[in-house]
Amino acid sequence: MMHRLMSVVKRHPIITFFVLTYAIGWGLIPFWTFQAGSPFIAALIVIPLTRGVAGLKELGLRMIRWRVRWYWYVVAIVVPLAVVGLTVVLNVALGASVPSLAGVGSVSTVLMMFAVRLVNPGDGALGEEPGWRGVALPGLQSTLSPLVSTLILGVAVTVWHVPLLFLEDGLLRPSIIVGFLLGTMAVTFWYTWLFNRTGGSVLMTLVSHAAQGTIQIGALWPAGADFAQANLLNGVVLSVVAIGLVVLDWQFWRGPAPVPATVQPAYVGEPRVR
């Protein structure tokens, strides 16, 4: 029985990863909590079973692949902050109150929060990126285009996050739900593009994910209609970013996906050879 189970896992590592991610992430829902680090945990289970030490080494190299062109660090941080900034501008323009920065805190507080998100495996950044981008995306792209891979991964990631709507008070409002689903699906396209353009650097998506959650909409508008409208606008802005990436870089999404090298070259992140 165990031999047969191992055979199935080795033949279908990505399916196994998704099953484990959902089982671990949703397994604590009866206790009114959610395991945000389940993608990372699932990765640490599936990789040794299917690829052994070599697979763990490859994931580790992707997670510390820092030698990319300097501008990728700027892009990874500026884009999510720009999305929040544009959301704020649109929300105020549509009648919302001017947000209070009291909930955000000082610059040192923001930087500290960003640093903690980078190293906390129970947080959405480190808890998710090694799994979604370190295991699932490369596995899907081994046989599918980046576009199709991202559509599949986006649906899986979005559905995985759905319980959060029920576990946190005040989120079961139509505008919040639509914004949440739109944003979660759309940001998957951004992470795919960033991952592939930086030669398979999970670190870059981790940095961007950490930046995305450092200044949250809920800290600017704690609750009420302004908060709900901001969530919807955030999902719309992220969707525009996703559509723009696909339209402006269409050949990239339709062509064969880059296969990140196990051994890091001197520099990665240059445009692919078509």
Side-chain angles (χ1 to χ4, degrees):
M1 180 66 179
M2 183 60 67
H3 177 74
R4 184 176 301 176
L5 179 61
M6 285 299 300
S7 178
V8 171
V9 170
K10 290 182 178 180
R11 289 201 309 270
H12 307 286
I14 303 303
I15 294 177
T16 303
F17 165 79
F18 283 130
V19 170
L20 284 175
T21 297
Y22 272 75
I24 297 170
W26 289 8
L28 297 178
I29 291 178
F31 303 98
W32 213 246
T33 187
F34 184 81
Q35 177 50 262
S38 68
F40 195 2
I41 297 172
L44 294 178
I45 295 173
V46 172
I47 290 180
L49 293 177
T50 58
R51 301 191 57 198
V53 175
L56 288 174
K57 180 180 179 182
E58 182 174 349
L59 176 61
L61 287 173
R62 286 176 177 159
M63 290 176 63
I64 62 173
R65 186 167 291 173
W66 63 273
R67 296 191 67 180
V68 301
R69 300 295 182 183
W70 63 268
Y71 49 77
W72 287 114
Y73 285 92
V74 176
V75 170
I77 294 174
V78 168
V79 168
L81 295 182
V83 168
V84 173
L86 183 55
T87 298
V88 170
V89 171
L90 291 174
N91 204 33
V92 173
L94 291 175
S97 60
V98 176
S100 171
L101 297 179
V104 177
S106 63
V107 174
S108 60
T109 300
V110 172
L111 293 176
M112 179 63 71
M113 185 180 300
F114 173 73
V116 169
R117 285 175 60 81
L118 285 175
V119 299
N120 179 13
D123 192 86
L126 184 57
E128 295 183 39
E129 290 309 312
W132 299 136
R133 256 58 66 174
V135 176
L137 182 58
L140 290 169
Q141 288 187 154
S142 65
T143 56
L144 302 170
S145 70
L147 179 61
V148 175
S149 298
T150 304
L151 288 171
I152 294 172
L153 182 59
V155 171
V157 173
T158 301
V159 174
W160 178 79
H161 278 90
V162 164
L164 293 177
L165 293 169
F166 299 88
L167 295 175
E168 297 185 23
D169 294 333
L171 297 186
L172 291 178
R173 300 176 60 173
S175 58
I176 293 178
I177 294 172
V178 172
F180 179 86
L181 297 178
L182 274 178
T184 306
M185 181 71 185
V187 80
T188 309
F189 284 81
W190 159 245
Y191 291 140
T192 292
W193 187 82
L194 183 62
F195 174 84
N196 285 335
R197 282 301 190 188
T198 56
S201 174
V202 172
L203 178 61
M204 287 296 96
T205 64
L206 174 58
V207 167
S208 192
H209 196 148
Q212 181 195 16
T214 298
I215 301 179
Q216 299 185 4
I217 299 299
L220 300 172
W221 293 280
D226 291 350
F227 170 73
Q229 180 175 271
N231 272 274
L232 177 59
L233 290 171
N234 188 67
V236 171
V237 172
L238 284 170
S239 297
V240 171
V241 171
I243 293 171
L245 288 173
V246 174
V247 171
L248 297 176
D249 206 1
W250 177 244
Q251 291 302 319
F252 172 86
W253 291 93
R254 290 290 295 165
V259 180
T262 301
V263 179
Q264 178 179 313
Y267 280 99
V268 293
E270 291 303 303
R272 288 189 300 160
V273 176
R274 298 296 183 185

